[in-house]
Amino acid sequence: MVNDPMGEIKNVLKKGQRRNLIVIAVLAILLFAFKPWVQIGAGERGVVQNFGAVQDKVLNEGIHFKIPIVQTVIFMDVKIQKAMTDAASSSSDLQDVDLSVALNYHIIPDKANLVYQTIGVEFKERIIDPAIQEVMKAVSARYTAEELITKRPAVSTEMQQALTSRLLASNIAVDAFSIISFSFSQTFTDAIEAKQTAEQNALKAKRDLDRIKVEAEQTIAAATAEAEALRLQKMNISPDLIELRKIEANLKAIEKWNGILPEVTGAGAIPFIGVGDAINN
């Protein structure tokens, strides 16, 4: 039997190729099985754990490599989130108040590992809601029920500042805060409506009184002016003026006379208008 060196070399190469293919296949299986990378999406941060111990490093958005088995990554949402909460409290004048508020907040991205380590992923139920409840009750207790309505912007600002300070200690930032509604007891609501009605009626009565005063002043002014005019006219009247007015009246009567004497039945003289005055002149 003749040895074939080329055939042996080919056999060795074929075995080597098979071995390489097997190694590559095993590595690929292990690669996908253990997945030594992690992808952090938009608005997320990755909290790294080494055998369950939270590390200081926080993974930003993008692809990152991790050590299989040793390291695990927890995803934390750092986008702005909204919490709506209802609370029952009392005003400083002991009126029952039901409030409904909305809070926008987000986890401080660089502190996501601390939030996970100290609070966990249920931070809304553990931190956000209790903080809103306490702040709403504390702030509303410093205002009367009427002030909660009339000073609503100031109440909202005070609540937001208190929540900002309180949540910042837990590495949670407040983006916006708004009071959606106030609700009071029916008795208080009726009292407020009655007060507003009384104020409107009082304002209307005051306007009417002011109008009457103005009209009275106008009447007095008109009467005073008329009296002054009459006084001035009376000062200008003289005997000569009276005589002149009589002559003017007689002349007008003569101009209107058609030359026919009035017929008079019975005894009596024919009357002549102003004849005596004319004779005297």
Side-chain angles (χ1 to χ4, degrees), residues 43-278:
E44 294 180 334
R45 291 296 184 271
V47 178
V48 181
Q49 291 180 309
N50 288 349
F51 293 113
V54 176
Q55 303 302 300
D56 294 335
K57 184 180 180 181
V58 176
L59 301 181
N60 296 323
E61 300 172 4
I63 295 178
H64 303 270
F65 290 97
K66 65 176 182 176
I67 302 174
I69 301 175
V70 176
Q71 292 182 329
T72 56
V73 177
I74 306 300
F75 294 90
M76 296 289 288
D77 190 347
V78 296
K79 295 188 293 294
I80 295 177
Q81 302 183 51
K82 181 179 181 179
M84 296 187 63
T85 305
D86 297 329
S89 59
S90 297
S91 60
S92 61
D93 53 352
L94 302 181
Q95 294 292 336
D96 294 332
V97 185
D98 293 327
L99 299 95
S100 179
V101 302
L103 174 70
N104 290 343
Y105 66 93
H106 70 274
I107 295 175
I108 298 176
D110 295 340
K111 304 295 183 181
N113 57 335
L114 297 178
V115 174
Y116 179 78
Q117 187 177 34
T118 58
I119 304 172
V121 295
E122 298 178 351
F123 47 84
K124 180 181 181 298
E125 293 77 8
R126 295 179 179 179
I127 299 296
I128 304 295
D129 292 340
I132 294 176
Q133 291 279 345
E134 183 174 347
V135 167
M136 290 169 66
K137 292 179 180 180
V139 174
S140 61
R142 289 196 288 271
Y143 293 86
T144 64
E146 186 174 353
E147 286 175 341
L148 290 174
I149 300 174
T150 58
K151 299 181 179 180
R152 181 169 179 164
V155 175
S156 179
T157 300
E158 186 172 346
M159 288 184 177
Q160 181 172 349
Q161 291 175 348
L163 281 170
T164 299
S165 176
R166 184 182 178 92
L167 295 179
L168 191 59
S170 299
N171 299 304
I172 297 174
V174 171
D175 298 291
F177 177 85
S178 59
I179 298 175
I180 298 175
S181 65
F182 282 118
S183 298
F184 302 93
S185 64
Q186 188 61 41
T187 302
F188 177 76
T189 303
D190 294 340
I192 290 293
E193 291 179 355
K195 181 179 179 181
Q196 291 178 344
T197 302
E199 290 177 351
Q200 291 174 357
N201 292 336
L203 183 61
K204 181 178 181 299
K206 184 178 182 301
R207 288 199 300 264
D208 292 341
L209 180 60
D210 293 340
R211 178 178 54 79
I212 292 172
K213 287 181 179 180
V214 171
E215 291 177 352
E217 291 174 356
Q218 291 175 346
T219 302
I220 292 172
T224 301
E226 185 176 356
E228 181 66 14
L230 291 175
R231 185 182 69 81
L232 294 175
Q233 289 181 3
K234 185 176 181 181
M235 290 176 62
N236 293 329
I237 295 176
S238 63
D240 293 337
L241 181 60
I242 295 174
E243 192 66 25
L244 178 60
R245 293 290 183 266
K246 287 182 179 180
I247 294 173
E248 291 176 351
N250 289 335
L251 291 175
K252 288 181 179 180
I254 293 172
E255 289 176 358
K256 293 181 180 179
W257 184 45
N258 56 7
I260 301 174
L261 295 175
E263 296 181 358
V264 180
T265 59
I270 299 175
F272 289 93
I273 300 173
V275 173
D277 296 334

Side-chain angles (χ1 to χ4, degrees), residues 1-16:
M1 181 176 181
V2 180
N3 292 330
D4 186 1
M6 294 300 298
E8 291 180 358
I9 293 173
K10 289 181 179 179
N11 291 333
V12 171
L13 291 175
K14 288 181 179 179
K15 291 180 180 179

